[in-house]
Amino acid sequence: MDCIFCKIVAGEIPTSKVYEDEHVLAFKDIHPQAPVHVLVIPKTHIESVDKLDDATAELAAKALAAIPKAAREMGLTEGYRVITNVGRHGCQSVFHLHFHVLGGKQLPERMS
Ligand code: DGP
């Protein structure tokens, strides 16, 4: 499968890891949009939130549970924003489920 995040999980593409466990990887976004911008992904390939079902939701939950660990690792004591883009209107560009964790400054109130 030609998925850039699967290649990162496989160690074929180097990345700046923030947190890792059996099911989840968190790494710094290559194009940061905030002082801290981390991507948290399940290691298993799931296209997006839109493709979740009862079986794969458990893997998504493991990724969600890793977010506070990645946030602590990055020193995000004052809060942060979690975003996941879905499909064309959501401007998803990498079709492997990922949660953007943005912080390190006061973020704008508007999200769209
Ligand atoms: P999205 O547009 O929501 O699908 O976000 C994809 C993000 O992935 C985007 O912010 C840039 C990031 N990204 C793409 N390729 C790479 C890569 O090879 N390494 C890292 N660290 N981030 C990447």
Side-chain angles (χ1 to χ4, degrees):
M1 192 187 300
D2 195 23
C3 169
I4 201 156
F5 287 177
C6 285
K7 288 179 181 166
I8 286 174
V9 169
E12 293 166 15
I13 295 175
T15 193
S16 186
K17 285 183 194 177
V18 170
Y19 172 82
E20 182 171 20
D21 65 29
E22 187 185 348
H23 299 287
V24 179
L25 183 64
F27 53 95
K28 292 183 184 172
D29 194 292
I30 204 167
H31 300 306
Q33 295 186 39
V36 174
H37 187 170
V38 171
L39 301 173
V40 181
I41 69 169
K43 289 184 173 178
T44 300
H45 185 88
I46 302 166
E47 188 177 303
S48 75
V49 162
D50 195 56
K51 295 293 189 285
L52 289 175
D53 56 24
D54 288 343
T56 54
E58 194 181 332
L59 295 168
K62 288 182 188 303
L64 285 172
I67 288 173
K69 297 171 188 169
R72 273 198 287 279
E73 195 61 38
M74 297 303 293
L76 295 178
T77 54
E78 300 301 320
Y80 48 90
R81 182 167 289 156
V82 179
I83 294 172
T84 187
N85 295 325
V86 181
R88 189 164 59 92
H89 277 190
C91 296
Q92 185 177 4
S93 62
V94 177
F95 291 86
H96 180 131
L97 176 64
H98 52 282
F99 298 102
H100 296 260
V101 178
L102 299 146
K105 68 169 186 180
Q106 179 62 58
L107 298 170
E109 280 187 33
R110 280 186 62 85
M111 286 190 288
S112 63

